[in-house]
Amino acid sequence: MQQFIIEDTKGFMGKLLSSEFFDRLELVQLELTTSVVHTVDGRLRKEFFDTDQEAELKAEGMGEYIRWKEEKALFFQSIRGTTLPLGFKIVFRIPDAMALQISDRLAAISSMFLNVNYTRLQTTVTTGISMKSFPSDPSIGQEFDAFVKNVFQKMEIG
């Protein structure tokens, strides 16, 4: 687990709302605090879709959660304006296909997460993994941390 302290919140927000990397992530949960608290559960409700739509989602590799690219416009509409939100927390899950590129030891991993936490004072991104069994090999988490660090360096996030 590694925590990245984001020095340029405005630049980070631009990348959060426009980069392909974040678009591919699955949205597990979003909590936005303005004058009230807005909570989004990113779990897809399959009963909402007809059979053809569900088959199309599966063909696109859609899993249990909605992708960020499908939800970010609603988030942007909620935060834009002259008054900054008091804060937000976003939990992203790395899709299995992307996780396979990060570690070939995916069989031991249940999920890989990025947790974004914004307050008016600081923005952080924290990595985390969920293992299928204990004890776990800490080097798996280190592989994920190194992957995120590399992506953030390429995107000039930091």
Side-chain angles (χ1 to χ4, degrees):
M1 182 171 87
Q2 183 170 354
Q3 184 178 62
F4 299 89
I5 297 172
I6 308 301
E7 300 294 333
D8 177 14
T9 296
K10 186 175 180 177
F12 174 76
M13 290 301 296
K15 291 174 174 85
L16 179 66
L17 295 168
S18 66
S19 81
E20 184 180 319
F21 171 74
F22 286 106
D23 280 355
R24 296 183 300 166
L25 301 181
E26 296 174 345
L27 176 64
V28 175
Q29 184 177 9
L30 166 69
E31 182 178 286
L32 172 63
T33 305
T34 57
S35 60
V36 297
V37 176
H38 307 268
T39 303
V40 175
D41 176 354
R43 193 176 313 271
L44 284 170
R45 306 298 189 254
K46 300 209 181 203
E47 61 274 10
F48 176 78
F49 303 102
D50 65 31
T51 308
D52 292 338
Q53 290 172 315
E54 189 174 351
E56 189 176 308
L57 289 174
K58 285 181 182 178
E60 292 175 5
M62 189 73 84
E64 185 177 350
Y65 299 98
I66 193 166
R67 290 214 175 100
W68 175 243
K69 73 177 180 177
E70 308 297 332
E71 197 65 24
K72 69 181 179 181
L74 181 63
F75 173 72
F76 179 68
Q77 290 299 319
S78 299
I79 64 168
R80 73 179 229 196
T82 57
T83 305
L84 292 173
L86 294 173
F88 63 81
K89 298 174 186 176
I90 305 173
V91 178
F92 290 117
R93 182 181 179 280
I94 306 301
D96 291 341
M98 187 186 298
L100 278 170
Q101 296 171 356
I102 298 168
S103 176
D104 58 356
R105 297 182 283 175
L106 188 62
I109 301 168
S110 177
S111 294
M112 296 177 177
F113 298 97
L114 283 180
N115 300 294
V116 178
N117 189 19
Y118 162 83
T119 67
R120 288 184 176 174
L121 301 175
Q122 185 177 51
T123 303
T124 61
V125 178
T126 307
T127 63
I129 60 171
S130 173
M131 301 298 292
K132 290 181 180 174
S133 64
F134 187 83
S136 64
D137 179 356
S139 67
I140 296 173
Q142 293 166 354
E143 286 178 47
F144 181 45
D145 294 345
F147 169 80
V148 173
K149 184 176 183 177
N150 184 42
V151 168
F152 280 12
Q153 284 175 342
K154 287 180 181 176
M155 293 174 65
E156 298 178 354
I157 294 174

